[in-house]
Amino acid sequence: MSEETARTPEFVQSLERGLMVIRAFDAEHPQLTLSEVARATGLTRAAARRFLITLVEIGYMRTDGRLFSLRPRILELGYAYLSSLSLPEVAQPHMEALAAQVHESCSMSVLDDDEVVYVARVPTKRIMTIGISVGSRFPAYATSMGRVLLATQPAEWLDDYLARVELLPMTRRTVVDPAKLRVLLAKTASQGYALVDQELEEGLRSLAAPIRAENQTVVAALNISAHASRGSSDTIRRELLPPLLATAKRIEEDLRLASNP
Amino acid sequence: MSEETARTPEFVQSLERGLMVIRAFDAEHPQLTLSEVARATGLTRAAARRFLITLVEIGYMRTDGRLFSLRPRILELGYAYLSSLSLPEVAQPHMEALAAQVHESCSMSVLDDDEVVYVARVPTKRIMTIGISVGSRFPAYATSMGRVLLATQPAEWLDDYLARVELLPMTRRTVVDPAKLRVLLAKTASQGYALVDQELEEGLRSLAAPIRAENQTVVAALNISAHASRGSSDTIRRELLPPLLATAKRIEEDLRLASNP
């Protein structure tokens, strides 16, 4: 039960364990046997069996008696969150237009713990696409959207973040020195965008800008990512920054319309 | 506790109740107080409180002490399912190309219980978009994708379906006569596509085709939906059916490549 830690007395362990059973299924493990679920979650077979039976009864899982797999109804849990945000719905058509204009993937993220979480994404029509979808998470420090979101946090929060985060080298270019990262974040804040050059993955550059609500709070980050073959960082900035900023502005205008109809 | 029914002795009620608490949040209710959650779920305040505290501790919910709301981490539950399908990932770039070509929204669904569930969607850049996203559900009988998915079910399953389903008039055009629906489904199966003319919503026409795996099993349906202003049913069929079928074919080819690399 590696995922479980000490909890308050009111903590409902059955809920946590049931959610662990759901998370045991993924792209590499779309179908699992009872034993495999028990192994993946650290639960006893008897406990895993009770959760699997419950999930089958609720309609979140199916089984042929041996193999278990998730059913599409499970989507309602994630979409309870997504539908509670008006942001992706407002942004999506503008992101489609941007991706079509620049022929690169366009994404939107929010900060959650110390990671960026994708809440909208328009991939390009390339054969080599990247396996990123809504719900994907990356460490904030190594991504352009993360830099934008970190740069606009209160100073005190940022101090805590830089003290607690372990900056791991995702590539040989990743900035892993907290002092250097702090300088980059200050620059991001002052210039109003972040350009990250192959710090998350070799061959991948990305450019991000903040999306601000009417009260100027940053509610999300918008980015364009491009293969290194698209050109140098300077080319990326020259070609992609103007359409990125124009799209961010259009999304912000629509957000204001959506909140003050 | 209207959602709860009699269960097997092994049923874990805490898991079901915790999931009910998650589902209490949606677009109309992005933030709820403890009392509101208790009311929405039929749980006692004490029980609702324990589930909310648990969800906050797991990182699926946040609170300011009074209001609760979902956090993006909740997406990992729905995406455990989505990432277990290679289908949406394979289909997405082809759907983007189709939507760009015909300037209409393009969606992909699977059948779950008696409903279609959207697993991928590319909306158009219209101001008046429809509030449909991945995870949305509609009754199968009134939708083009549902007709395609029903039409390819085994005869015995279809008999059961037609006996049990309550055909409700979503508009004045919805086919609610089981015998007539059966004829339409036979036609759908023989012609290889379904055209639904304002049966789900006034002013909305949609055209769907099946996506088949290598063994010819229908794994999903692909559709284009268009406002009635686009033209008559004949116009829709003439203009949109060829690109729809061509896109379905390309997705099927890529699916075969993905499963036999």
Side-chain angles (χ1 to χ4, degrees), chain B residues 99-153:
Chain B
Q101 182 189 348
V102 301
H103 305 291
E104 303 288 355
S105 299
C106 178
S107 305
M108 176 171 279
S109 289
V110 297
L111 199 62
D112 188 46
D113 288 335
D114 295 343
E115 296 173 308
V116 292
V117 184
Y118 283 65
V119 295
R121 179 164 165 84
V122 179
T124 44
K125 302 161 207 27
R126 294 263 171 71
I127 291 171
M128 284 287 295
T129 53
I130 303 162
I132 296 175
S133 62
V134 172
S136 291
R137 304 174 71 92
F138 292 107
Y141 60 85
T143 66
S144 62
M145 290 191 282
R147 296 260 172 95
V148 159
L149 294 167
L150 292 173
T152 51
Q153 292 294 314

